[in-house]
Amino acid sequence: MKKIFLIVACTLAMTSSAQNSANNSAIETKDPRPNPDKISILWDTSLKLNSRSIDKELQLLKLYVENIGSVSVSVSKFSNTIYESKNFSCNSGCEELFTYLKTSEYNGASNFSGLLDKNSEKADVVLVFTNGISVFEPLESRLEIPVFTVNSKKEAEHALLQEVAAASEGSYIDLTARTPQDALEYLLNKIEDDSYTPPVKEGTAAMYYGVVHSDGNPIQGAVVRIKNSFNEVQTESNGRYKIAAQAGDILEISALGMVTKDTLLTDTKKTHIPLVADGELLDEVLLQKKRKAEETVETPFGNQKREAVGYSLGQKFTSADIQPYHTSLRQILVRMPGVIIEGNEGIDEKYVFRKTANASFQNSGKTYPAIVLDGLLIDQQTQRVPFIDPNTIESITLLKSALSTVRFGQLAAYGAIVIETKDYDPGEVVKRENTALVKGNEYDETVTTLEQATSNLGKSNYLVTLEKSSSFEEAKALYYKQLKYEKNNIDYYLTVAPYFERWNQGFASDILSNIAAVAPRNVKALKVLAFQYEKNKELEKARYIYEQLINVQPQDLQSYRDLALIYTQTGEYDLAATLYRQMIYNTIPNVDFAPVQDIVINEFRHLIKNHKSKINYEGLPNELLSLDFKKDIRIVLEWNHPAMEFDIQIVNPEKKYFSFSHTAFNNKELLQNEIDEGFFMKEFIIDDGEKGSWMVNIRYLGQHNDNVPLILKYTMFKNYGTPKETKVMKTLQLDKYQDKITLDNFIN
């Protein structure tokens, strides 16, 4: 089995000479092949082969059988797997064989795993009818008999098909370039043919290119898609795109904060596309209150010029130091010198300075610095630190000396963390109770569970029809009728595949694989398929999809993390460790893993703790090698659409909640950074949390106008990193649920 392990994008430059007009000239000297007694036919019935030139293929096969005379033929039909086999005895003609092939049903994506490993039929030659395209195991042969690859589609892996055939002294027969009569000579005679140049014909796609911009400014991460298809690309940092299309196609261009636009393509290949800002989002930006510029700041020693305050380097962060991927106060403070964080993010977390952490026992535990938010004091001993959106923070200052006591009183005897937001006006006199900052997060709702909400969803007409079936054969016949109209409908595959699990697990898996067949280079669609394979524990297939994602989007940082994680699950620990090491040390060119460092470190430590003997851990810091690593509760959210908008709410046993907003309205910079860097996930850690029942709620807040469903993957670990670790994984099509739902309930 070949392993694809891409750290940087590689371009394979293939040089080929023009095909000889040699349909005639290359056959000047004939070296006849011996007539076979038995032929093995491998017939690809994947979804994309339903448009094959079957008449040409059957004509070639008929000519071959007639020339041989009496021959035995074994046929295996395959797509995602070999699912059906039948034997034929051909003496004078073989109409039953041709009828059997012609009446094939087409379903699933091609998977060549083990296809040419064994000659179980004891055949003399093998004919593989396929175009060779797959996102799963590629076609390769381990047989010592001639293998002929036969293809009748323009879109094909021509070089691969020729390589596989030549390696076994067979031939590649391209019926888009040869007639069946000419092609027959390659079956009957040994003819050297070691070069291939695909013919360029009218109507084939050309490359359209240009820049997507707004008011002359390039837009990175805009999606440029051929309308009503899965063919799409993302713009680069300079706004440039390049996509294979034809005149008459309609490009649909969408970007975060912009109005979606359609553009009709003409013969002009260079097409620049301007977008207009979304009015509602623009209004919100314009309405945001600007912080008043102050030349002086208040200090314990009176008002002084801001630049004269003289905070030491590293003791103060400003908005310039806060990055879009910072989504919580915790992520900022952990990077400030001397700050230790205790408790659960957003729920009962507390902050302490390192120099006072060891004094907690002697001082009755009152060693926590005060939190000063826009002039109001929060006592960490008795009050919960409220959620503060990092995008609203103007500055954070650490006061670790007597200065904090002089300014804020005895409550700040162990220091103060002073936070000023962009809306804070020190000159504004507003009387507020300190306790108001920690109120308003009491949970008193009744929310429908995911299971209840799912049962309340109306069933699609095609599912209602299928559920009337009384047998697998009846359901399968109905499916093939529906497939004629739904073959480009990913939601259809996600809906009917679970239904067929009651009849046949393999057939259900074939249905899911159609997603790879219709959208082999669409990142959003491939993630949908990978999520489903993981959920179904088809981890090898998930691995192939994650490898394909790196091929398609090598600049997306999450692709590398996803691949490392699936390598861990498939037992390829050394490959996983190599990737994690490269991510932690940021050694993969043109990809910056800073936004997901916390997630990567947690997963690498988990790998090391559980499989240390199976990986190379030389040179790793002691922090990573520590065996005391564990997390009580670890929740990871992942999604397939870059700009999916939702709110997450985590409720503790005391009915206090923490919220995380993933919307353009509240967090546009974060969403844009995710698009630019290519990561669509969020981690929540709960350590030493309250014992009792916890709840995770979610609400979808976006609008969906894409032909790929919005899929959220939820994974919850208990006792993460310990022998008692348990894991719950769920996937849901989020845009189907318009109200808030309870995604999970668990006991800590």
Side-chain angles (χ1 to χ4, degrees):
M1 182 181 295
K2 288 185 177 178
K3 288 185 172 59
I4 305 168
F5 185 42
L6 299 177
I7 302 305
V8 293
C10 298
T11 303
L12 178 63
M14 285 181 13
T15 57
S16 58
S17 58
Q19 180 110 18
N20 298 327
S21 58
N23 289 342
N24 296 315
S25 61
I27 315 173
E28 293 178 356
T29 304
K30 294 185 178 181
D31 182 7
R33 298 179 185 273
N35 282 347
D37 293 321
K38 188 166 188 178
I39 298 171
S40 175
I41 294 176
L42 300 172
W43 188 260
D44 192 343
T45 61
S46 58
L47 187 64
K48 299 300 282 186
L49 267 292
N50 65 350
S51 58
R52 71 201 313 161
S53 297
I54 192 168
D55 290 339
K56 283 186 177 182
E57 295 181 9
L58 294 182
Q59 185 181 355
L60 170 65
L61 191 56
K62 186 174 183 179
L63 290 171
Y64 186 40
V65 171
E66 288 175 350
N67 269 272
I68 295 172
S70 179
V71 65
S72 298
V73 180
S74 66
V75 177
S76 293
K77 293 182 178 180
F78 74 94
S79 59
N80 196 29
T81 57
I82 293 177
Y83 63 89
E84 186 175 294
S85 297
K86 192 171 182 179
N87 293 318
F88 299 87
S89 181
C90 300
N91 295 314
S92 56
C94 211
E95 289 304 318
E96 186 183 356
L97 165 64
F98 305 137
T99 300
Y100 177 67
L101 295 175
K102 195 164 188 175
T103 55
S104 300
E105 298 283 7
Y106 293 88
N107 183 46
S110 300
N111 187 347
F112 302 110
S113 177
L115 194 67
L116 293 172
D117 281 359
K118 296 178 182 177
N119 184 11
S120 56
E121 298 293 334
K122 294 183 170 43
D124 300 306
V125 297
V126 177
L127 276 64
V128 187
F129 289 80
T130 182
N131 66 349
I133 295 176
S134 177
V135 300
F136 299 106
E137 181 82 4
L139 183 66
E140 63 178 357
S141 174
R142 294 182 174 87
L143 301 182
E144 296 180 355
I145 58 174
V147 174
F148 296 89
T149 50
V150 185
N151 165 59
S152 62
K153 288 180 65 71
K154 295 175 185 177
E155 185 183 8
E157 291 283 359
H158 299 285
L160 172 65
L161 293 171
Q162 182 165 271
E163 177 188 339
V164 169
S168 61
E169 298 187 355
S171 290
Y172 169 42
I173 298 173
D174 178 11
L175 291 175
T176 69
R178 299 186 179 98
T179 66
Q181 290 79 5
D182 290 334
L184 177 64
E185 295 294 333
Y186 289 82
L187 289 170
L188 299 177
N189 302 284
K190 295 179 181 179
I191 301 171
E192 185 176 348
D193 180 21
D194 59 0
S195 62
Y196 180 78
T197 302
V200 179
K201 299 184 178 180
E202 291 185 22
T204 55
M207 297 309 297
Y208 281 76
Y209 61 95
V211 175
V212 177
H213 63 93
S214 177
D215 293 330
N217 298 313
I219 300 175
Q220 179 180 1
V223 175
V224 180
R225 177 174 60 247
I226 296 178
K227 196 159 188 173
N228 300 320
S229 83
F230 299 105
N231 183 9
E232 65 179 37
V233 297
Q234 281 190 353
T235 56
E236 300 172 0
S237 57
N238 55 9
R240 294 190 177 278
Y241 72 92
K242 185 165 64 174
I243 190 168
Q246 299 183 52
D249 284 342
I250 296 175
L251 290 188
E252 183 182 72
I253 304 93
S254 58
L256 182 67
M258 299 289 163
V259 177
T260 300
K261 180 176 182 177
D262 290 348
T263 297
L264 177 66
L265 295 179
T266 64
D267 290 332
T268 304
K269 302 298 185 294
K270 185 176 181 180
T271 306
H272 297 320
I273 302 169
L275 295 183
V276 177
D278 185 297
E280 292 183 12
L281 195 59
L282 182 61
D283 288 345
E284 168 61 20
V285 173
L286 292 175
L287 287 171
Q288 285 183 354
K289 183 178 178 181
K290 300 292 185 181
R291 184 181 186 275
K292 294 183 179 180
E294 296 288 342
E295 292 185 357
T296 61
V297 293
E298 182 185 358
T299 75
F301 310 105
N303 290 334
Q304 296 187 12
K305 289 186 177 180
R306 182 176 296 274
E307 58 270 21
V309 172
Y311 296 115
S312 60
L313 185 63
Q315 303 303 305
K316 182 172 183 175
F317 267 30
T318 67
S319 56
D321 301 307
I322 299 171
Q323 302 302 317
Y325 52 79
H326 290 143
T327 59
S328 66
L329 182 62
R330 183 189 191 104
Q331 291 177 331
I332 302 171
L333 289 177
V334 77
R335 287 169 168 77
M336 298 189 75
V339 178
I340 298 173
I341 301 176
E342 302 174 350
N344 311 293
E345 181 176 358
I347 298 169
D348 63 351
E349 64 187 345
K350 292 183 173 62
Y351 309 101
V352 60
F353 293 145
R354 190 179 301 277
K355 70 176 184 178
T356 60
N358 297 327
S360 59
F361 181 78
Q362 298 95 311
N363 295 286
S364 302
K366 295 182 179 180
T367 63
Y368 297 106
I371 304 295
V372 184
L373 177 58
D374 286 348
L376 299 177
L377 270 68
I378 301 170
D379 181 0
Q380 292 195 81
Q381 284 294 119
T382 59
Q383 295 173 297
R384 187 185 68 85
V385 179
F387 173 73
I388 304 169
D389 184 350
N391 293 309
T392 67
I393 294 175
E394 178 64 26
S395 67
I396 301 176
T397 306
L398 307 182
L399 301 179
K400 300 180 181 179
S401 65
L403 178 66
S404 59
T405 309
V406 172
R407 181 172 180 182
F408 300 113
Q410 195 59 35
L411 185 60
Y414 297 101
I417 299 174
V418 182
I419 304 170
E420 293 184 359
T421 67
K422 294 174 182 176
D423 287 337
Y424 175 48
D425 181 0
E428 184 179 354
V429 179
V430 180
K431 293 184 178 179
R432 294 176 289 178
E433 294 183 6
N434 292 345
T435 53
L437 288 169
V438 293
K439 290 181 178 179
N441 72 323
E442 289 80 13
Y443 182 77
D444 58 359
E445 298 178 77
T446 301
V447 178
T448 304
T449 66
L450 172 61
E451 292 72 22
Q452 292 169 335
T454 301
S455 66
N456 292 335
L457 293 175
K459 292 183 180 179
S460 59
N461 291 333
Y462 40 74
L463 188 57
V464 171
T465 302
L466 285 170
E467 288 181 338
K468 295 177 181 177
S469 303
S470 58
S471 69
F472 175 44
E473 291 303 320
E474 183 182 353
K476 192 162 62 168
L478 285 170
Y479 165 75
Y480 281 121
K481 287 181 180 179
Q482 294 174 349
L483 188 59
K484 294 177 182 178
Y485 306 99
E486 306 290 350
K487 67 179 181 179
N488 288 321
N489 185 350
I490 291 177
D491 180 62
Y492 174 71
Y493 299 129
L494 294 176
T495 302
V496 303
Y499 162 77
F500 273 97
E501 288 176 359
R502 75 183 71 176
W503 300 113
N504 187 295
Q505 289 279 353
F507 192 73
S509 182
D510 291 345
I511 292 172
L512 267 183
S513 73
N514 281 317
I515 297 173
V518 300
R521 298 188 64 81
N522 184 294
V523 172
K524 293 174 292 191
L526 290 175
K527 283 193 175 183
V528 171
L529 184 56
F531 291 169
Q532 292 304 116
Y533 279 147
E534 284 192 78
K535 181 181 177 182
N536 297 343
K537 296 184 171 27
E538 296 185 79
L539 299 179
E540 287 292 336
K541 290 179 180 178
R543 177 172 65 85
Y544 281 117
I545 299 302
Y546 284 124
E547 288 172 343
Q548 174 70 352
L549 282 166
I550 285 188
N551 284 325
V552 175
Q553 292 281 71
Q555 75 279 11
D556 283 1
L557 64 87
Q558 187 171 340
S559 297
Y560 299 90
R561 173 267 179 185
D562 290 344
L563 188 55
L565 187 59
I566 202 68
Y567 279 155
T568 302
Q569 295 179 67
T570 56
E572 297 164 286
Y573 304 118
D574 217 33
L575 285 178
T578 300
L579 263 180
Y580 279 128
R581 186 190 291 261
Q582 290 177 314
M583 286 185 279
I584 286 174
Y585 290 107
N586 241 354
T587 58
I588 297 176
N590 304 316
V591 185
D592 180 8
F593 291 93
V596 295
Q597 279 289 303
D598 292 342
I599 294 176
V600 169
I601 288 172
N602 282 336
E603 291 177 352
F604 194 17
R605 292 188 68 185
H606 183 272
L607 170 63
I608 293 168
K609 182 173 181 181
N610 288 279
H611 306 288
K612 187 176 179 181
S613 63
K614 299 173 184 176
I615 66 173
N616 176 15
Y617 55 85
E618 291 183 8
L620 292 175
N622 290 332
E623 180 186 358
L624 291 178
L625 300 175
S626 172
L627 295 179
D628 63 357
F629 171 74
K630 75 170 186 66
K631 302 292 180 186
D632 291 346
I633 303 291
R634 178 175 184 252
I635 296 172
V636 182
L637 295 179
E638 301 170 65
W639 49 95
N640 68 317
H641 272 252
M644 188 186 293
E645 296 188 271
F646 56 86
D647 277 349
I648 282 287
Q649 184 183 61
I650 299 177
V651 185
N652 73 3
E654 296 177 353
K655 298 302 181 183
K656 294 283 189 178
Y657 68 83
F658 159 74
S659 294
F660 167 69
S661 179
H662 189 266
T663 65
F665 190 80
N666 292 326
N667 234 336
K668 182 184 177 184
E669 261 193 288
L670 171 64
L671 268 65
Q672 186 61 58
N673 192 65
E674 291 174 350
I675 292 170
D676 295 346
E677 302 294 338
F679 70 99
F680 320 111
M681 57 183 172
K682 176 68 178 174
E683 177 186 65
F684 302 93
I685 300 294
I686 300 173
D687 265 337
D688 301 320
E690 292 89 343
K691 300 299 180 182
S693 179
W694 291 69
M695 183 185 303
V696 180
N697 296 331
I698 189 167
R699 184 171 186 179
Y700 174 61
L701 295 170
Q703 293 182 340
H704 185 48
N705 57 358
D706 200 314
N707 53 356
V708 179
L710 300 173
I711 304 298
L712 182 89
K713 173 185 166 188
Y714 167 88
T715 312
M716 189 275 290
F717 300 89
K718 293 178 71 173
N719 301 309
Y720 184 69
T722 74
K724 296 181 179 180
E725 178 179 306
T726 60
K727 172 182 172 182
V728 173
M729 178 186 166
K730 300 179 182 182
T731 62
L732 67 155
Q733 189 170 333
L734 192 57
D735 54 300
K736 286 187 175 182
Y737 305 91
Q738 297 304 313
D739 297 322
K740 182 188 288 188
I741 57 174
T742 296
L743 189 55
D744 197 11
N745 279 295
F746 56 88
I747 303 297
N748 183 31

